[in-house]
mmCIF file of all heavy atoms in Angstrom:
data_model
loop_
_atom_site.group_PDB
_atom_site.id
_atom_site.type_symbol
_atom_site.label_atom_id
_atom_site.label_comp_id
_atom_site.label_asym_id
_atom_site.label_seq_id
_atom_site.Cartn_x
_atom_site.Cartn_y
_atom_site.Cartn_z
ATOM 1 N N GLY A 1 93.551 94.794 157.297
ATOM 2 C CA GLY A 1 92.755 95.311 158.401
ATOM 3 C C GLY A 1 91.416 95.808 157.927
ATOM 4 O O GLY A 1 91.245 96.172 156.754
ATOM 5 N N SER A 2 90.449 95.862 158.843
ATOM 6 C CA SER A 2 89.095 96.287 158.493
ATOM 7 C C SER A 2 88.937 97.795 158.532
ATOM 8 O O SER A 2 87.827 98.303 158.658
ATOM 9 C CB SER A 2 88.084 95.648 159.461
ATOM 10 O OG SER A 2 88.311 96.094 160.792
ATOM 11 N N ASP A 3 90.042 98.511 158.411
ATOM 12 C CA ASP A 3 90.027 99.974 158.421
ATOM 13 C C ASP A 3 90.899 100.474 157.282
ATOM 14 O O ASP A 3 91.964 99.901 157.005
ATOM 15 C CB ASP A 3 90.559 100.494 159.759
ATOM 16 C CG ASP A 3 90.488 102.011 159.838
ATOM 17 O OD1 ASP A 3 89.422 102.529 160.220
ATOM 18 O OD2 ASP A 3 91.482 102.674 159.512
ATOM 19 N N SER A 4 90.465 101.551 156.639
ATOM 20 C CA SER A 4 91.185 102.046 155.462
ATOM 21 C C SER A 4 92.607 102.503 155.779
ATOM 22 O O SER A 4 93.476 102.492 154.905
ATOM 23 C CB SER A 4 90.410 103.202 154.821
ATOM 24 O OG SER A 4 90.287 104.289 155.730
ATOM 25 N N HIS A 5 92.862 102.886 157.036
ATOM 26 C CA HIS A 5 94.206 103.354 157.389
ATOM 27 C C HIS A 5 95.137 102.226 157.825
ATOM 28 O O HIS A 5 96.175 102.478 158.455
ATOM 29 C CB HIS A 5 94.120 104.436 158.468
ATOM 30 C CG HIS A 5 93.577 105.724 157.945
ATOM 31 N ND1 HIS A 5 92.272 106.112 158.178
ATOM 32 C CD2 HIS A 5 94.134 106.696 157.187
ATOM 33 C CE1 HIS A 5 92.056 107.287 157.587
ATOM 34 N NE2 HIS A 5 93.167 107.658 156.979
ATOM 35 N N SER A 6 94.791 100.993 157.450
ATOM 36 C CA SER A 6 95.701 99.876 157.696
ATOM 37 C C SER A 6 96.986 100.011 156.882
ATOM 38 O O SER A 6 97.942 99.263 157.104
ATOM 39 C CB SER A 6 95.005 98.545 157.389
ATOM 40 O OG SER A 6 93.897 98.354 158.259
ATOM 41 N N ASN A 7 97.014 100.952 155.953
ATOM 42 C CA ASN A 7 98.269 101.317 155.277
ATOM 43 C C ASN A 7 99.346 101.684 156.283
ATOM 44 O O ASN A 7 100.547 101.628 155.976
ATOM 45 C CB ASN A 7 98.042 102.527 154.357
ATOM 46 C CG ASN A 7 97.093 102.238 153.210
ATOM 47 O OD1 ASN A 7 96.460 101.196 153.184
ATOM 48 N ND2 ASN A 7 96.992 103.150 152.277
ATOM 49 N N SER A 8 98.938 102.068 157.490
ATOM 50 C CA SER A 8 99.874 102.512 158.516
ATOM 51 C C SER A 8 100.969 101.500 158.809
ATOM 52 O O SER A 8 102.063 101.864 159.259
ATOM 53 C CB SER A 8 99.122 102.800 159.826
ATOM 54 O OG SER A 8 98.131 103.789 159.649
ATOM 55 N N TYR A 9 100.717 100.223 158.544
ATOM 56 C CA TYR A 9 101.685 99.186 158.896
ATOM 57 C C TYR A 9 102.930 99.245 158.013
ATOM 58 O O TYR A 9 103.953 98.625 158.320
ATOM 59 C CB TYR A 9 101.027 97.805 158.838
ATOM 60 C CG TYR A 9 99.680 97.790 159.546
ATOM 61 C CD1 TYR A 9 98.617 97.019 159.101
ATOM 62 C CD2 TYR A 9 99.451 98.607 160.665
ATOM 63 C CE1 TYR A 9 97.390 97.028 159.734
ATOM 64 C CE2 TYR A 9 98.219 98.639 161.305
ATOM 65 C CZ TYR A 9 97.192 97.847 160.831
ATOM 66 O OH TYR A 9 95.968 97.879 161.459
ATOM 67 N N GLY A 10 102.853 100.030 156.952
ATOM 68 C CA GLY A 10 104.038 100.283 156.136
ATOM 69 C C GLY A 10 105.079 101.106 156.867
ATOM 70 O O GLY A 10 106.210 101.271 156.381
ATOM 71 N N ALA A 11 104.732 101.607 158.046
ATOM 72 C CA ALA A 11 105.694 102.361 158.855
ATOM 73 C C ALA A 11 106.896 101.516 159.246
ATOM 74 O O ALA A 11 107.973 102.043 159.530
ATOM 75 C CB ALA A 11 105.015 102.908 160.111
ATOM 76 N N VAL A 12 106.712 100.198 159.290
ATOM 77 C CA VAL A 12 107.821 99.309 159.642
ATOM 78 C C VAL A 12 108.170 98.365 158.489
ATOM 79 O O VAL A 12 108.865 97.370 158.683
ATOM 80 C CB VAL A 12 107.503 98.495 160.909
ATOM 81 C CG1 VAL A 12 107.429 99.402 162.118
ATOM 82 C CG2 VAL A 12 106.197 97.714 160.756
ATOM 83 N N GLY A 13 107.682 98.674 157.288
ATOM 84 C CA GLY A 13 108.044 97.879 156.120
ATOM 85 C C GLY A 13 107.110 96.727 155.801
ATOM 86 O O GLY A 13 107.467 95.827 155.043
ATOM 87 N N ALA A 14 105.894 96.740 156.347
ATOM 88 C CA ALA A 14 104.898 95.732 155.990
ATOM 89 C C ALA A 14 104.018 96.263 154.866
ATOM 90 O O ALA A 14 103.883 97.475 154.689
ATOM 91 C CB ALA A 14 104.036 95.367 157.196
ATOM 92 N N PHE A 15 103.415 95.353 154.113
ATOM 93 C CA PHE A 15 102.424 95.730 153.105
ATOM 94 C C PHE A 15 101.081 95.681 153.803
ATOM 95 O O PHE A 15 100.457 94.625 153.938
ATOM 96 C CB PHE A 15 102.468 94.766 151.910
ATOM 97 C CG PHE A 15 101.600 95.195 150.750
ATOM 98 C CD1 PHE A 15 102.152 95.821 149.648
ATOM 99 C CD2 PHE A 15 100.227 94.969 150.755
ATOM 100 C CE1 PHE A 15 101.365 96.206 148.560
ATOM 101 C CE2 PHE A 15 99.429 95.347 149.697
ATOM 102 C CZ PHE A 15 100.006 95.968 148.592
ATOM 103 N N GLY A 16 100.633 96.822 154.327
ATOM 104 C CA GLY A 16 99.367 96.909 155.032
ATOM 105 C C GLY A 16 98.281 97.419 154.113
ATOM 106 O O GLY A 16 98.497 98.389 153.382
ATOM 107 N N ALA A 17 97.124 96.779 154.159
ATOM 108 C CA ALA A 17 96.038 97.187 153.267
ATOM 109 C C ALA A 17 94.700 97.082 153.994
ATOM 110 O O ALA A 17 94.438 96.109 154.702
ATOM 111 C CB ALA A 17 96.013 96.312 152.010
ATOM 112 N N GLY A 18 93.869 98.092 153.802
ATOM 113 C CA GLY A 18 92.527 98.077 154.345
ATOM 114 C C GLY A 18 91.580 97.343 153.418
ATOM 115 O O GLY A 18 91.705 97.431 152.196
ATOM 116 N N MET A 19 90.628 96.617 153.998
ATOM 117 C CA MET A 19 89.663 95.857 153.196
ATOM 118 C C MET A 19 88.287 95.933 153.832
ATOM 119 O O MET A 19 88.154 96.216 155.026
ATOM 120 C CB MET A 19 90.094 94.385 153.077
ATOM 121 C CG MET A 19 91.348 94.170 152.259
ATOM 122 S SD MET A 19 91.736 92.406 152.053
ATOM 123 C CE MET A 19 93.006 92.522 150.782
ATOM 124 N N GLY A 20 87.265 95.635 153.046
ATOM 125 C CA GLY A 20 85.903 95.616 153.540
ATOM 126 C C GLY A 20 85.618 94.354 154.344
ATOM 127 O O GLY A 20 86.425 93.413 154.400
ATOM 128 N N ALA A 21 84.436 94.315 154.952
ATOM 129 C CA ALA A 21 84.082 93.231 155.865
ATOM 130 C C ALA A 21 84.107 91.859 155.193
ATOM 131 O O ALA A 21 84.543 90.871 155.800
ATOM 132 C CB ALA A 21 82.703 93.503 156.468
ATOM 133 N N THR A 22 83.668 91.777 153.942
ATOM 134 C CA THR A 22 83.632 90.478 153.263
ATOM 135 C C THR A 22 85.032 89.939 153.042
ATOM 136 O O THR A 22 85.321 88.762 153.307
ATOM 137 C CB THR A 22 82.894 90.593 151.918
ATOM 138 O OG1 THR A 22 81.547 91.024 152.149
ATOM 139 C CG2 THR A 22 82.873 89.253 151.197
ATOM 140 N N ASP A 23 85.935 90.787 152.555
ATOM 141 C CA ASP A 23 87.319 90.348 152.336
ATOM 142 C C ASP A 23 88.013 90.018 153.648
ATOM 143 O O ASP A 23 88.849 89.108 153.710
ATOM 144 C CB ASP A 23 88.102 91.421 151.583
ATOM 145 C CG ASP A 23 87.761 91.470 150.100
ATOM 146 O OD1 ASP A 23 87.563 90.388 149.507
ATOM 147 O OD2 ASP A 23 87.686 92.569 149.537
ATOM 148 N N ILE A 24 87.697 90.768 154.706
ATOM 149 C CA ILE A 24 88.278 90.461 156.018
ATOM 150 C C ILE A 24 87.781 89.109 156.508
ATOM 151 O O ILE A 24 88.538 88.314 157.071
ATOM 152 C CB ILE A 24 87.946 91.570 157.030
ATOM 153 C CG1 ILE A 24 88.712 92.850 156.679
ATOM 154 C CG2 ILE A 24 88.277 91.128 158.449
ATOM 155 C CD1 ILE A 24 90.225 92.723 156.751
ATOM 156 N N ALA A 25 86.503 88.823 156.294
ATOM 157 C CA ALA A 25 85.962 87.517 156.685
ATOM 158 C C ALA A 25 86.677 86.386 155.948
ATOM 159 O O ALA A 25 86.997 85.344 156.542
ATOM 160 C CB ALA A 25 84.457 87.469 156.414
ATOM 161 N N VAL A 26 86.943 86.574 154.667
ATOM 162 C CA VAL A 26 87.669 85.561 153.891
ATOM 163 C C VAL A 26 89.073 85.366 154.446
ATOM 164 O O VAL A 26 89.551 84.233 154.616
ATOM 165 C CB VAL A 26 87.720 85.955 152.400
ATOM 166 C CG1 VAL A 26 88.666 85.033 151.632
ATOM 167 C CG2 VAL A 26 86.324 85.913 151.782
ATOM 168 N N ALA A 27 89.750 86.477 154.751
ATOM 169 C CA ALA A 27 91.098 86.386 155.301
ATOM 170 C C ALA A 27 91.095 85.686 156.657
ATOM 171 O O ALA A 27 91.987 84.879 156.965
ATOM 172 C CB ALA A 27 91.705 87.781 155.427
ATOM 173 N N LEU A 28 90.091 85.968 157.488
ATOM 174 C CA LEU A 28 89.980 85.308 158.787
ATOM 175 C C LEU A 28 89.722 83.808 158.632
ATOM 176 O O LEU A 28 90.213 82.994 159.418
ATOM 177 C CB LEU A 28 88.837 85.929 159.597
ATOM 178 C CG LEU A 28 89.091 87.309 160.196
ATOM 179 C CD1 LEU A 28 87.796 87.874 160.782
ATOM 180 C CD2 LEU A 28 90.179 87.257 161.263
ATOM 181 N N ALA A 29 88.960 83.448 157.630
ATOM 182 C CA ALA A 29 88.607 82.052 157.429
ATOM 183 C C ALA A 29 89.745 81.246 156.812
ATOM 184 O O ALA A 29 89.982 80.089 157.181
ATOM 185 C CB ALA A 29 87.365 81.946 156.547
ATOM 186 N N LEU A 30 90.456 81.853 155.871
ATOM 187 C CA LEU A 30 91.431 81.107 155.078
ATOM 188 C C LEU A 30 92.886 81.442 155.389
ATOM 189 O O LEU A 30 93.785 80.677 155.006
ATOM 190 C CB LEU A 30 91.172 81.349 153.584
ATOM 191 C CG LEU A 30 89.763 81.031 153.070
ATOM 192 C CD1 LEU A 30 89.667 81.356 151.585
ATOM 193 C CD2 LEU A 30 89.402 79.583 153.333
ATOM 194 N N GLY A 31 93.129 82.605 156.004
ATOM 195 C CA GLY A 31 94.515 83.005 156.253
ATOM 196 C C GLY A 31 95.225 83.501 155.021
ATOM 197 O O GLY A 31 96.457 83.587 154.988
ATOM 198 N N ARG A 32 94.467 83.858 154.023
ATOM 199 C CA ARG A 32 95.058 84.393 152.797
ATOM 200 C C ARG A 32 94.076 85.333 152.118
ATOM 201 O O ARG A 32 92.886 85.347 152.449
ATOM 202 C CB ARG A 32 95.495 83.278 151.848
ATOM 203 C CG ARG A 32 94.393 82.345 151.393
ATOM 204 C CD ARG A 32 94.969 81.205 150.552
ATOM 205 N NE ARG A 32 93.943 80.334 150.023
ATOM 206 C CZ ARG A 32 93.455 79.273 150.655
ATOM 207 N NH1 ARG A 32 93.906 78.973 151.858
ATOM 208 N NH2 ARG A 32 92.512 78.535 150.090
ATOM 209 N N THR A 33 94.586 86.086 151.151
ATOM 210 C CA THR A 33 93.753 87.027 150.410
ATOM 211 C C THR A 33 94.304 87.160 149.001
ATOM 212 O O THR A 33 95.381 86.630 148.689
ATOM 213 C CB THR A 33 93.712 88.394 151.112
ATOM 214 O OG1 THR A 33 92.708 89.222 150.508
ATOM 215 C CG2 THR A 33 95.058 89.115 151.008
ATOM 216 N N TRP A 34 93.565 87.842 148.154
ATOM 217 C CA TRP A 34 94.072 88.105 146.805
ATOM 218 C C TRP A 34 94.342 89.576 146.642
ATOM 219 O O TRP A 34 93.683 90.429 147.246
ATOM 220 C CB TRP A 34 93.080 87.613 145.728
ATOM 221 C CG TRP A 34 91.843 88.465 145.607
ATOM 222 C CD1 TRP A 34 90.690 88.335 146.310
ATOM 223 C CD2 TRP A 34 91.652 89.573 144.723
ATOM 224 N NE1 TRP A 34 89.783 89.302 145.938
ATOM 225 C CE2 TRP A 34 90.353 90.078 144.960
ATOM 226 C CE3 TRP A 34 92.453 90.189 143.760
ATOM 227 C CZ2 TRP A 34 89.844 91.168 144.266
ATOM 228 C CZ3 TRP A 34 91.945 91.282 143.072
ATOM 229 C CH2 TRP A 34 90.650 91.765 143.318
#
């Protein structure tokens, strides 16, 4: 997510991570991240 508190998704057992705009753009374009 494009917000630092995307960690919140761990509330249901997901690996949620906040990222900056460039990394979010890459994820939107490719459907993956590093």
Side-chain angles (χ1 to χ4, degrees):
S2 63
D3 183 86
S4 62
H5 288 102
S6 297
N7 295 10
S8 301
Y9 313 145
V12 293
F15 188 100
M19 292 184 168
T22 300
D23 284 322
I24 290 297
V26 171
L28 286 171
L30 304 179
R32 60 185 184 272
T33 190
W34 73 272

